[in-house]
Amino acid sequence: MKKYYVSGELMKGFLGTIIYETILPENINELNIRVSFQKREMEQCTEMDKKLCREAWKKNTGEIPSASVTDRLIQGQKTEINVSVFHNGACLGCAHRDEVNKEIILSPRYASEGFTIWKPSQGVLRVVLHVYQVLNDHTPYEVEVLGKEMGE
Amino acid sequence: MIYRRAELHNHSTESDGSMTVEELLEWAENNQYDVMALTDHNTCSGHGKAHRVIQKNNLSVSLLEGVEVTTFYGHILALGLRKMVDFTGLNPMAPENFLQELRREGAAAIGIAHPFCLGRPVMAGCRFDMKIHDWNTLDYIEVFNTSAGTGTEAELSMGNEKALQLWEEKALEGYSLAAVTGKDIHKKPGEWPVMVTYVQLDNPDIKDPAQAVLGAILEQRTIVTKGPLFYAQAAKGILTIQYDNTSSYLEWNTKWETTHPLLLIQDNLGNCLKYEVDLKEEKQEFKIAWEADRVVLRMYDGNIKFSSLLAAGVVVKQEK
């Protein structure tokens, strides 16, 4: 079994793509990919957070939201990190769902929802983290790729 | 004229929907949709499953394969796309290269989803913040996203009125953009009285309904409606409309006789005309400016306010 593991921290307001790329060995028969993060909900709401919510609401409605509506808008937000996987340039799928722990299985017989069956071959594996929103400083994330070798 | 109902924006458990592909297609079948698009976020993994479900369950609904390319700066619907593409290099200030790449990879009709949805930080990435320089690279705009249901707050949060206005502005400028709706299904939809999309087809003998819907979108032969269906032509200062009140959607086929709609006609010269509609007439004629190149139409129930809209999204080129 081959295992690759990386971890990191994201600061509040981060918006962008984080890409991990590696070369798969020839004898890998199944991939298990896990991407997880913490601090899904906002832990500390600042006046700037409320101001930005009110501005977004006013842009659509023409009105400044009430305190209760603002609270609802704040509570509805979430840290969001979704995952796409590419092999030799071809997209195998995406885990775009509201989960802090995304587990992806790719094999010739089975693929997790969001992904297609994968025929093992060597080549370039790319795990793409789409970071849509980070609500808290020091938001930890992890990426683990397990490659099950033939015969395991 | 033949009308077919299409639902063009939906998510399953292949992304963040709560209905499986099978449940989604069964829902479409039971709710009289002729064509159902599967547009999961950034994946095409459900397409094969959907085809197998249709065959296994002997469903009559046709599948339109697609994807909702979900970026940080807005969502792009790519109908006909069967293979997800890498969008990490997309430049939101000049997305045209990416839109062309979608087309090269098989997207037959490309549209903007919920362009004026509540934006960041409330709904991260949902509002369309990209800068379009060339509107010819797009084929349609989702003018009604009905995922939030009905009511003033729902409409305002989705920005549907602004989306319709954007479409009308571009259509009157001459861009070949269709207007469509999207339920943006993430869970089993409520039975809300919302707009749906119908396409207009000439030929009743449709071998591939999904392809027919794509063709209609590309020809701007769509109507967004709560029941009324109509086909319009314009020539020499006369707009002729043929009504079809047979749709069972929201029981229009029983309600229409007691409805007295108003028709609003806007043309590319800035004129805005209002007429009473007599649905009992199979066909009606209305005067428009002879010099106008094209008009867009809205039908209201009683009074001219957004909440009273019955149908919209129709553009008519005037023959000179």
Side-chain angles (χ1 to χ4, degrees):
Chain A
M1 170 121 28
K2 293 260 188 276
K3 177 177 170 178
Y4 299 114
Y5 174 86
V6 293
S7 64
E9 264 190 5
L10 297 169
M11 303 306 276
K12 179 173 179 174
F14 182 92
L15 171 68
T17 307
I18 301 171
I19 300 175
Y20 294 102
E21 204 167 89
T22 188
I23 305 296
L24 285 178
E26 282 191 15
N27 59 340
I28 297 295
N29 197 40
E30 178 177 310
L31 286 172
N32 290 25
I33 301 171
R34 179 179 64 82
V35 175
S36 59
F37 63 93
Q38 296 174 40
K39 299 187 183 181
R40 180 186 177 281
E41 280 84 30
M42 189 179 286
E43 292 180 342
Q44 215 165 359
C45 179
T46 65
E47 278 309 309
M48 178 56 76
D49 292 321
K50 291 182 184 176
K51 178 174 180 276
L52 291 172
C53 270
R54 288 193 287 261
E55 282 173 1
W57 183 260
K58 190 179 176 193
K59 207 169 176 181
N60 268 47
T61 66
E63 291 174 1
I64 296 170
S66 64
S68 62
V69 170
T70 303
D71 284 344
R72 185 160 46 87
L73 297 176
I74 293 278
Q75 281 156 28
Q77 293 176 50
K78 59 184 190 289
T79 290
E80 185 176 357
I81 302 175
N82 296 310
V83 186
S84 290
V85 178
F86 291 80
H87 179 231
N88 291 337
C91 183
L92 300 183
C94 183
H96 184 109
R97 37 187 186 259
D98 187 13
E99 293 170 344
V100 295
N101 192 41
K102 295 176 172 65
E103 298 193 1
I104 301 158
I105 299 175
L106 297 164
S107 77
R109 298 163 309 281
Y110 171 80
S112 300
E113 278 189 311
F115 293 84
T116 51
I117 298 288
W118 175 63
K119 290 179 189 171
S121 69
Q122 59 85 32
V124 179
L125 180 75
R126 185 147 52 97
V127 177
V128 178
L129 307 190
H130 307 286
V131 184
Y132 291 88
Q133 185 155 269
V134 179
L135 297 179
N136 304 287
D137 281 336
H138 305 291
T139 294
Y141 74 91
E142 297 179 324
V143 178
E144 183 179 85
V145 178
L146 293 175
K148 288 188 181 174
E149 294 168 280
M150 287 183 195
E152 282 187 348
Chain B
M1 188 60 57
I2 308 297
Y3 296 90
R4 290 288 181 264
R5 196 193 303 178
E7 178 37 59
L8 299 171
H9 182 173
N10 307 290
H11 302 284
S12 71
T13 49
E14 298 295 315
S15 62
D16 60 354
S18 63
M19 297 169 79
T20 62
V21 167
E22 183 166 14
E23 287 166 343
L24 205 52
L25 289 166
E26 290 282 359
W27 176 87
E29 180 95 350
N30 294 335
N31 285 272
Q32 289 92 50
Y33 284 88
D34 298 289
V35 173
M36 181 78 161
L38 184 59
T39 56
D40 278 303
H41 297 283
N42 299 333
T43 185
C44 297
S45 60
H47 296 170
K49 293 176 187 176
H51 282 298
R52 288 190 289 276
V53 161
I54 287 171
Q55 199 167 25
K56 176 175 75 88
N57 297 2
N58 204 26
L59 302 179
S60 60
V61 65
S62 289
L63 174 72
L64 181 47
E65 295 128 324
V67 176
E68 183 173 22
V69 183
T70 306
T71 82
F72 304 133
Y73 307 102
H75 297 187
I76 298 165
L77 291 162
L79 298 178
L81 190 67
R82 297 174 182 175
K83 186 177 76 166
M84 182 58 199
V85 302
D86 181 1
F87 62 93
T88 54
L90 185 157
N91 177 0
M93 293 298 106
E96 283 80 0
N97 282 347
F98 177 73
L99 299 176
Q100 284 160 0
E101 187 188 346
L102 281 177
R103 225 174 278 285
R104 283 194 299 273
E105 293 296 337
I110 301 173
I112 301 175
H114 42 70
F116 294 101
C117 180
L118 271 176
R120 200 170 285 279
V122 181
M123 294 175 76
C126 291
R127 191 180 183 89
F128 194 76
D129 288 328
M130 298 188 207
K131 176 88 179 136
I132 297 290
H133 303 271
D134 182 2
W135 286 89
N136 291 308
T137 53
L138 290 163
D139 303 300
Y140 69 94
I141 296 175
E142 183 182 74
V143 298
F144 278 89
N145 181 293
T146 59
S147 58
T150 57
T152 308
E153 193 175 292
E155 290 286 357
L156 287 172
S157 65
M158 295 317 297
N160 291 329
E161 187 167 8
K162 288 185 187 177
L164 181 60
Q165 284 166 352
L166 172 66
W167 174 80
E168 288 173 337
E169 175 193 310
K170 294 301 170 193
L172 289 173
E173 285 176 13
Y175 290 105
S176 186
L177 293 166
V180 307
T181 62
K183 286 198 182 296
D184 201 352
I185 293 176
H186 283 81
K187 58 183 181 182
K188 189 175 175 187
E191 289 184 12
W192 299 314
V194 296
M195 293 282 193
V196 295
T197 302
Y198 278 81
V199 300
Q200 299 162 338
L201 303 169
D202 294 318
N203 189 352
D205 181 24
I206 303 164
K207 292 189 170 46
D208 190 335
Q211 284 300 309
V213 164
L214 281 174
I217 290 171
L218 295 176
E219 292 175 9
Q220 291 180 291
R221 295 185 73 177
T222 57
I223 180 170
V224 305
T225 181
K226 289 186 181 178
L229 299 171
F230 53 86
Y231 174 68
Q233 293 173 292
K236 298 178 182 175
I238 301 289
L239 175 76
T240 305
I241 299 186
Q242 282 180 288
Y243 303 116
D244 183 321
N245 297 307
T246 59
S247 171
S248 60
Y249 183 61
L250 299 179
E251 298 171 340
W252 179 253
N253 52 357
T254 57
K255 277 191 208 165
W256 67 272
E257 284 182 296
T258 55
T259 309
H260 305 285
L262 292 171
L263 184 73
L264 198 74
I265 305 171
Q266 295 178 76
D267 69 26
N268 62 296
L269 301 174
N271 299 309
C272 190
L273 306 166
K274 188 172 72 177
Y275 290 103
E276 288 182 0
V277 169
D278 185 354
L279 293 172
K280 290 188 171 69
E281 297 288 333
E282 201 181 297
K283 200 190 285 192
Q284 243 185 318
E285 289 185 345
F286 305 94
K287 281 190 183 168
I288 59 173
W290 186 289
E291 307 82 12
D293 295 313
R294 58 195 70 83
V295 298
V296 293
L297 309 178
R298 292 191 188 192
M299 186 183 282
Y300 290 90
D301 184 5
N303 47 29
I304 307 281
K305 53 180 189 171
F306 193 70
S307 56
S308 299
L309 255 182
L310 281 174
V314 175
V315 58
V316 188
K317 298 181 187 80
Q318 176 159 227
E319 286 176 32
K320 297 281 173 73

